[in-house]
Amino acid sequence: MAETIRIIGIDPGLRRTGWGVVETLGNSLRFVASGTVRSDDKADLASRLCQLHDGLAEILHIYRPDEAAVEATFVNKDATATLKLGQARGVAMLVPARAGLRVAEYAPNAVKKSVIGVGHGDKKQIHMMVKVLLPRATFDTDDAADAIAIAICHAHHRQSPAWRLAKGAAA
């Protein structure tokens, strides 16, 4: 008998980290909640990372997901911004890992391909397809919408042989 799996998708960012929780049962998806954890851009880096950590830890405590998925970092022209994003991504991976969850990682193009059908698309297309796939979904920022898309991507890929094999090895 199939069981309901609760998945949290996380779109890491230093200013705003989006999160979205969905449930999957077989091929069906259900929206649970979404939101954005914000850090104080006037605070020092360590304090901002703590704010992200504490916010995500609270979300995990409230919604109790079974699995987590985080978007992989892309490298841009600004090395400093890329490093800061990488640090925020580290927090986004650490919080669910410390809660005992397996954390999957997906490239932005893989997320887009899972949600809109192609590896390249703009935010409006992602938002529209999230609403088509999960009509009850609400999101307060682009980051939260992206996080829902990451959770949807994981729901589609979690049945892959590679994920099941890795899950068996971790048990």
Side-chain angles (χ1 to χ4, degrees), residues 66-171:
D66 301 302
E67 298 175 3
V70 177
E71 188 170 68
T73 303
F74 62 91
V75 178
N76 60 34
K77 293 177 185 172
D78 183 353
T80 302
T82 301
L83 287 171
K84 288 179 180 178
L85 176 58
Q87 291 168 322
R89 186 171 175 275
V91 169
M93 293 182 72
L94 174 71
V95 171
R98 294 285 296 166
L101 305 182
R102 291 188 54 228
V103 181
E105 303 174 66
Y106 297 99
N109 287 350
V111 174
K112 290 175 185 172
K113 190 167 186 174
S114 290
V115 176
I116 62 175
V118 294
H120 300 282
D122 63 21
K123 298 263 186 210
K124 288 181 185 177
Q125 288 175 299
I126 293 170
H127 294 181
M128 182 190 74
M129 284 308 297
V130 164
K131 291 299 275 183
V132 167
L133 294 169
L134 299 168
R136 293 189 175 151
T138 58
F139 35 87
D140 60 353
T141 63
D142 287 346
D143 306 292
D146 289 349
I148 297 168
I150 294 161
I152 292 169
C153 176
H154 181 64
H156 292 164
H157 286 88
R158 67 178 301 279
Q159 294 302 324
S160 72
W163 176 261
R164 286 194 314 235
L165 188 66
K167 184 176 181 181

Side-chain angles (χ1 to χ4, degrees), residues 26-94:
N27 290 331
S28 68
L29 282 173
R30 185 178 79 82
F31 172 76
V32 176
S34 72
T36 307
V37 176
R38 291 174 171 80
S39 72
D40 179 359
D41 62 355
K42 292 176 180 41
D44 61 277
L45 180 60
S47 296
R48 294 177 74 183
L49 294 172
C50 283
Q51 291 167 356
L52 295 178
H53 175 279
D54 294 349
L56 285 173
E58 181 179 355
I59 297 307
L60 263 68
H61 177 73
I62 292 169
Y63 293 103
R64 305 264 187 227
D66 301 302
E67 298 175 3
V70 177
E71 188 170 68
T73 303
F74 62 91
V75 178
N76 60 34
K77 293 177 185 172
D78 183 353
T80 302
T82 301
L83 287 171
K84 288 179 180 178
L85 176 58
Q87 291 168 322
R89 186 171 175 275
V91 169
M93 293 182 72
L94 174 71

